[in-house]
Amino acid sequence: GFLPLQGHVVRNWKVRWFVLLQDKLLYYKIEGGKKEPSPKGRILLDGCTITCPCLEYENRPLLIKLKTKTNTDYFLECCSREERDSWALDITGAIHAGHPVQVQELHKMKNSFKLLENISLHNIVERMYDSSTGIKLTRNLDQGNRYKETFTGSALVDWLISNSFAVSRFEAVTLASMLMDENFIRPVGVRSTEATRSSDLSEKFLDDSTALYMFAESSKKNTSSKEEVHFNISELSGTIVKQGFLVKQGHKRKNWKVRKFVLRADPAFLHYYDPTKEDNKPVGGFSLRGCLVSALEDNGVPAGVKGNVQGNLFKIITKNDIHYYIQASSKAERVQWIEAIKPLT
């Protein structure tokens, strides 16, 4: 699949197509919407160590770090926590494929539940407040309301694991719920507030990117002023239905570039982002109301499409008759996107 990779010489981010084999991770360039036949590079997994979650970059919370036995660092970025953890699990399995005992130990650790003895919640909160190593506070949206100085459930779980307060995600969720029970943190927004009414632990503190929390003493909701909002709040306030990397044809130069697409409902919008940029602002997007979406045949290049494309194309026509040509990585992925978009049109 597509993942942004940080360069070694020029420390910028380039999107590459990754293929995981038993002993190596290959990555390819995409030119003109088509994967090049030879890999751009390879990461040998023998003796490799993996760090996930990796929080070395403040603005990129969904990183995987691979360190080879020659001490070369590779940083890969994913679209979601679920995608990151799935890649990390598969890569870890490949690294330890020849060592079944280690694989068993990793599975035990993943499902473990053994919090640190004499754990101090005060100490954890104090570390969370640290300006350099603490949890990052950001602005977030929940059903049209904008909250300052908040963090998501998945961000706190990542932080607790990366700071060695917990080993597994289940341990971290337990610890986060304890922090909420003792009134160190509190939920904000509809989804998180409703989850606290459930007795089930996994629902009480949601390990995902839509659950919002803040420090209890700063729990007063702060709605940002109009001057601080650079994008239409209503467009970006919908529930995220689907997200992932796709290849999109440009409107002017007709070249193909990998973009991160985010599909939202209520209101229904499709936004796309440049994954090589440091900020998390969409570079384009449109309302899905009145749109037409359809798959394009793979036998030949359809009218309106430039370049020698790989296939798996689909088209979205807006109610203003703007045509978007988008390429998925497989037929199955194309079907998934079309089926997710159609009900929102």
Side-chain angles (χ1 to χ4, degrees):
F2 289 113
L3 294 172
L5 169 72
Q6 188 185 57
H8 284 99
V9 181
V10 180
R11 308 297 282 180
N12 57 352
W13 295 84
K14 299 286 187 182
V15 177
R16 298 290 181 250
W17 175 258
F18 280 83
V19 177
L20 177 62
L21 303 180
Q22 187 172 7
D23 60 345
K24 64 178 73 74
L25 188 60
L26 305 178
Y27 53 94
Y28 298 79
K29 285 184 68 175
I30 301 291
E31 287 293 339
K34 186 176 182 181
K35 176 173 72 72
E36 291 190 342
S38 300
K40 177 73 174 176
R42 67 193 68 213
I43 304 172
L44 299 178
L45 298 178
D46 180 40
C48 211
T49 58
I50 182 170
T51 302
C52 179
C54 174
L55 305 182
E56 292 189 22
Y57 286 83
E58 187 178 86
N59 294 326
R60 294 181 180 266
L62 297 173
L63 291 180
I64 296 172
K65 178 182 178 181
L66 295 175
K67 181 184 282 290
T68 67
K69 64 180 180 181
T70 58
N71 289 324
T72 303
D73 291 339
Y74 292 88
F75 293 93
L76 318 177
E77 186 177 34
C78 297
C79 253
S80 65
R81 197 267 297 171
E82 292 77 13
E83 182 189 43
R84 181 199 64 191
D85 291 352
S86 176
W87 269 104
L89 183 64
D90 290 341
I91 293 171
T92 302
I95 291 173
H96 299 286
H99 309 279
V101 175
Q102 291 186 19
V103 173
Q104 289 179 358
E105 289 299 319
L106 287 167
H107 279 293
K108 287 181 183 178
M109 184 180 296
K110 180 177 180 291
N111 300 311
S112 72
F113 180 73
K114 185 181 179 181
L115 292 174
L116 296 174
E117 294 183 8
N118 302 319
I119 194 163
S120 169
L121 297 181
H122 288 277
N123 179 47
I124 294 176
V125 174
E126 191 173 307
R127 290 273 298 276
M128 288 174 66
Y129 270 112
D130 190 281
S131 58
S132 57
T133 61
I135 193 163
K136 183 185 177 186
L137 303 178
T138 59
R139 295 188 182 93
N140 286 285
L141 288 168
D142 182 84
Q143 296 197 2
N145 292 320
R146 196 172 183 89
Y147 299 92
K148 290 182 180 179
E149 298 187 337
T150 58
F151 46 88
T152 65
S154 59
L156 180 53
V157 170
D158 283 352
W159 185 88
L160 289 169
I161 294 173
S162 66
N163 284 272
S164 302
F165 289 114
V167 174
S168 68
R169 301 197 76 82
F170 184 63
E171 285 183 14
V173 168
T174 304
L175 199 51
S177 295
M178 291 167 61
L179 290 170
M180 188 165 62
D181 288 341
E182 296 300 321
N183 202 34
F184 288 107
I185 62 174
R186 61 166 290 169
V188 293
V190 175
R191 180 165 189 197
S192 303
T193 303
E194 289 181 350
T196 61
R197 299 169 186 164
S198 170
S199 58
D200 181 65
L201 184 64
S202 61
E203 285 296 317
K204 189 173 184 180
F205 190 92
L206 298 173
D207 178 16
D208 62 34
S209 58
T210 64
L212 297 183
Y213 301 87
M214 60 171 43
F215 291 114
E217 58 267 36
S218 60
S219 58
K220 185 179 179 181
K221 184 179 75 175
N222 291 308
T223 306
S224 63
S225 64
K226 292 182 180 179
E227 291 75 22
E228 293 175 315
V229 181
H230 300 291
F231 292 92
N232 188 324
I233 287 181
S234 64
E235 284 188 28
L236 301 172
S237 65
T239 302
I240 294 178
V241 175
K242 186 174 177 60
Q243 58 184 325
F245 294 108
L246 298 166
V247 187
K248 173 185 168 295
Q249 180 178 265
H251 288 295
K252 296 180 180 179
R253 297 177 60 188
K254 304 297 181 183
N255 55 343
W256 293 87
K257 290 189 177 181
V258 176
R259 294 290 181 249
K260 174 185 173 182
F261 280 79
V262 178
L263 176 64
R264 294 181 172 91
D266 300 321
F269 273 83
L270 184 63
H271 293 95
Y272 48 94
Y273 301 71
D274 185 345
T276 65
K277 302 297 184 184
E278 291 295 338
D279 60 15
N280 192 31
K281 298 177 181 178
V283 294
F286 50 92
S287 170
L288 291 173
R289 295 302 179 194
C291 285
L292 297 174
V293 57
S294 60
L296 298 176
E297 297 296 331
D298 289 340
N299 53 351
V301 180
V305 174
K306 303 294 183 181
N308 185 17
V309 297
Q310 195 86 4
N312 308 314
L313 287 166
F314 63 98
K315 178 171 67 172
I316 301 175
I317 305 175
T318 70
K319 64 180 180 181
N320 298 325
D321 200 34
I322 299 175
H323 292 225
Y324 289 87
Y325 294 97
I326 302 169
Q327 186 177 177
S329 59
S330 67
K331 289 184 179 180
E333 186 182 45
R334 175 174 66 181
V335 169
Q336 291 169 7
W337 274 98
I338 291 173
E339 289 181 347
I341 291 170
K342 273 187 175 179
L344 303 177
T345 59

